[in-house]
Amino acid sequence: DTGVSQDPRHKITKRGQNVTFRCDPISEHNRLYWYRQTLGQGPEFLTYFQNEAQLEKSRLLSDRFSAERPKGSFSTLEIQRTEQGDSAMYLCASSLASMGQGNYGYTFGSGTRLTVV
Amino acid sequence: QQPVQSPQAVILREGEDAVINCSSSKALYSVHWYRQKHGEAPVFLMILLKGGEQKGHEKISASFNEKKQQSSLYLTASQLSYSGTYFCGTDKAFGTGTRLTIIP
C-alpha cells in the first residue's frame, strides 16, 4: 500500500478559475476527510465521507466548494471561481470507521498546495 | 470552537521530558494526537477513546479525562526527531497546536 496520494502537489491558478484536486485513500479505509491548512495554523476540517456518502460539511465550505467520492474510493475536491483567500494547503486523510482499541488511526496525504494569483 | 493547547511553544534539550495539555470547551468522546513537521503533512500518533485512558507510542504517551474534557501528551527522554508541532483534537477539530523544539 502506497498510503494516501494527492494530486497535484502544487497548483497555481488565476483568480476566478476553477480547480479540482484528487485524493486516493488507502484502499481498505472507508472514511475520507478533506482539510485546509494555512501557514502557521492547524488543519481546518472541510468535509468527510464514509464510503460514497458525504456525511458532514463544515460551515467553512462555501457553495464554491464541492467534494465527491463517487465509488467510495478516490475523492475530488473542486473549488469554483477561486479567490485569493482560497490559497492554502489542501490535505486529504483516510481512516477506518471503527478503530476499537487499535492505533490504526488516520493517514494524511502530502497535500495539494494551492496558490491563487 | 477548537481545543486549546498549552504551552504554545516549548524548547527542550535532548533527553528532557515535556507535557502538552489539551482542553476542550465541548464534550470530547475521543482525542487524537498528531505531530506535524515543517512542510510535511500531519502524522497520526494515537487516539484515546475512554475517560482516563492512557496509551503509549514509543516514549510518547497520553492520557484522556473525558469528564474534564482534557488530555495530556507526555514525551519522555525527548529525541531530536520529536521536534515539530503537536496537535490534539478530533477528526473534525484540531487544537491550537504546540511547537516543540528539541536542541542537542
Side-chain angles (χ1 to χ4, degrees):
Chain A
D1 198 332
T2 55
V4 178
S5 300
Q6 291 189 245
D7 183 70
R9 292 293 302 274
H10 304 274
K11 178 71 177 180
I12 300 175
T13 191
K14 291 184 177 180
R15 189 173 52 187
Q17 298 292 307
N18 299 344
V19 293
T20 300
F21 311 139
R22 176 180 170 123
C23 172
D24 287 89
I26 291 173
S27 57
E28 60 266 29
H29 284 183
N30 55 4
R31 280 198 179 174
L32 186 149
Y33 297 80
W34 285 100
Y35 301 90
R36 178 173 64 191
Q37 186 173 27
T38 54
L39 197 62
Q41 303 296 315
E44 295 175 299
F45 168 77
L46 294 177
T47 187
Y48 89 96
F49 294 83
Q50 179 150 326
N51 300 312
E52 65 275 12
Q54 188 172 19
L55 296 187
E56 189 171 340
K57 291 170 61 173
S58 165
R59 285 173 290 178
L60 294 173
L61 211 65
S62 76
D63 56 6
R64 296 185 297 106
F65 288 71
S66 62
E68 294 183 341
R69 195 183 183 198
K71 297 181 180 178
S73 56
F74 74 91
S75 176
T76 57
L77 178 69
E78 181 183 18
I79 308 174
Q80 296 182 325
R81 305 180 303 281
T82 53
E83 302 172 356
Q84 287 188 318
D86 297 332
S87 295
M89 175 73 84
Y90 289 83
L91 294 164
C92 173
S94 68
S95 75
L96 288 171
S98 177
M99 293 180 290
Q101 296 296 315
N103 267 347
Y104 314 138
Y106 297 76
T107 303
F108 281 81
S110 298
T112 294
R113 182 168 296 282
L114 173 67
T115 303
V116 182
V117 298
Chain B
Q1 194 163 1
Q2 65 183 145
V4 176
Q5 293 179 228
S6 62
Q8 287 184 305
V10 59
I11 300 174
L12 297 177
R13 289 200 178 276
E14 199 173 4
E16 292 182 334
D17 301 341
V19 180
I20 300 172
N21 298 304
C22 172
S23 180
S24 174
S25 59
K26 295 172 63 174
L28 286 175
Y29 302 102
S30 66
V31 175
H32 306 185
W33 284 95
Y34 300 86
R35 176 173 60 214
Q36 186 174 29
K37 293 183 179 288
H38 183 69
E40 299 180 9
V43 172
F44 174 82
L45 295 177
M46 67 187 78
I47 181 171
L48 298 102
L49 299 174
K50 298 177 183 177
E53 183 178 28
Q54 295 197 20
K55 279 193 170 178
H57 177 80
E58 298 177 341
K59 292 181 181 179
I60 301 173
S61 62
S63 63
F64 174 37
N65 186 324
E66 66 181 74
K67 289 183 180 178
K68 292 184 178 180
Q69 298 168 187
Q70 295 175 344
S71 179
S72 295
L73 186 73
Y74 308 93
L75 301 101
T76 57
S78 57
Q79 305 169 14
L80 294 175
S81 62
Y82 289 178
S83 291
T85 300
Y86 288 78
F87 294 101
C88 69
T90 68
D91 56 348
K92 301 184 190 75
F94 281 68
T96 50
T98 296
R99 179 175 291 182
L100 176 66
T101 303
I102 311 294
I103 57 176

